[in-house]
Amino acid sequence: KAGVTQTPRYLIKTRGQQVTLSCSPISGHRSVSWYQQTPGQGLQFLFEYFSETQRNKGNFPGRFSGRQFSNSRSEMNVSTLELGDSALYLCASSLRVPTEKLFFGSGTQLSVL
Amino acid sequence: AQSVTQPDIHITVSEGASLELRCNYSYGATPYLFWYVQSPGQGLQLLLKYFSGDTLVQGIKGFEAEFKRSQSSFNLRKPSVHWSDAAEYFCAVGTKMEYGNKLVFGAGTILRVKS
């Protein structure tokens, strides 16, 4: 069974641009969560989707948004990029919520210049 | 609010030596606790988890962790470290929300293994 797939693997953008990251969960998983990882702030929860509905949201500005499609694939979007948005963005999927186990993808490394 | 503290940013151990990584948490209710490992440029892999029951939990790759409620700790241990264990280790507390779940992570401990 394929794992969580995140695309692209690396991304370079400039300040003010917007970016869309994609996450394909494990087949059959209906929950997708997003986390931001930076050297300064560590791993921080962005949001979680289940059955196309946002269930939970972390403390991030409105520039960060996401959505989930009927096939459970998810995208997150960051508008008006800032230098501080440079990070590894990790997606995790689970079969159900609440859950005992999150499966993480390898992440998308975003660099904002 | 929930929080997780990993007091050691870096730890270096010799191959074959024992390992203990410390984790302290703050959470009002019964916590769900996890240890994840991350190799450079990779995602997180679950080593083990504690939800309830036996306070000593076994995980993959020979790791174990002990939940001590009185000390609010969930330390990770391994009796004999292998060079391939070099990675960054994250302790996390899970918050069980009505419609979902999220993890609050510690800052991580980087493990170096010397031969």
Side-chain angles (χ1 to χ4, degrees), chain A residues 2-67:
Chain A
V4 178
T5 304
Q6 292 188 246
T7 55
R9 186 72 179 90
Y10 300 95
L11 208 48
I12 299 175
K13 293 286 186 180
T14 56
R15 279 183 299 172
Q17 288 187 310
Q18 76 165 20
V19 66
T20 300
L21 312 181
S22 179
C23 172
S24 294
I26 292 172
S27 178
H29 284 197
R30 297 169 62 191
S31 170
V32 173
S33 305
W34 289 89
Y35 289 80
Q36 182 196 62
Q37 185 177 23
T38 61
Q41 299 298 316
L43 282 151
Q44 293 185 288
F45 173 79
L46 279 157
F47 28 64
E48 176 183 26
Y49 288 86
F50 183 80
S51 294
E52 302 178 65
T53 302
Q54 186 180 90
R55 300 290 185 166
N56 299 294
K57 190 175 191 304
N59 296 324
F60 280 82
R63 299 185 297 107
F64 292 81
S65 63
R67 59 178 176 170

Side-chain angles (χ1 to χ4, degrees), chain A residues 6 8-12 21 37-39 85-90 106-112, chain B residues 41:
Chain A
Q6 292 188 246
R9 186 72 179 90
Y10 300 95
L11 208 48
I12 299 175
L21 312 181
Q37 185 177 23
T38 61
D85 297 333
S86 295
L88 179 67
Y89 290 87
L90 292 165
S106 297
T108 293
Q109 183 68 55
L110 171 65
S111 297
V112 182

Side-chain angles (χ1 to χ4, degrees), chain B residues 10-109:
Chain B
H10 297 98
I11 280 186
T12 300
V13 299
S14 298
E15 192 170 14
S18 63
L19 170 70
E20 182 170 30
L21 301 182
R22 295 182 291 164
C23 172
N24 293 95
Y25 67 90
S26 172
Y27 187 56
T30 300
Y32 303 115
L33 296 163
F34 305 82
W35 275 100
Y36 282 86
V37 61
Q38 184 179 36
S39 298
Q42 298 299 313
L44 301 172
Q45 182 182 23
L46 179 66
L47 287 175
L48 46 77
K49 62 186 187 294
Y50 171 79
F51 269 57
S52 63
D54 193 349
T55 56
L56 184 64
V57 294
Q58 303 297 321
I60 62 171
K61 304 185 180 186
F63 285 93
E64 67 177 27
E66 186 171 12
F67 169 58
K68 293 186 178 180
R69 185 186 300 273
S70 61
Q71 299 177 19
S72 298
S73 69
F74 188 56
N75 294 348
L76 181 71
R77 301 193 294 250
K78 186 170 185 178
S80 177
V81 169
H82 188 262
W83 64 267
S84 60
D85 293 324
E88 190 163 14
Y89 292 79
F90 293 92
C91 180
V93 60
T95 61
K96 192 172 178 179
M97 300 177 174
E98 183 177 359
Y99 295 112
N101 45 257
K102 76 171 190 180
L103 299 180
V104 175
F105 287 88
T109 297

Side-chain angles (χ1 to χ4, degrees), chain A residues 85-100:
Chain A
D85 297 333
S86 295
L88 179 67
Y89 290 87
L90 292 165
C91 167
S93 77
S94 62
L95 188 60
R96 56 185 177 272
V97 292
T99 185
E100 294 184 5

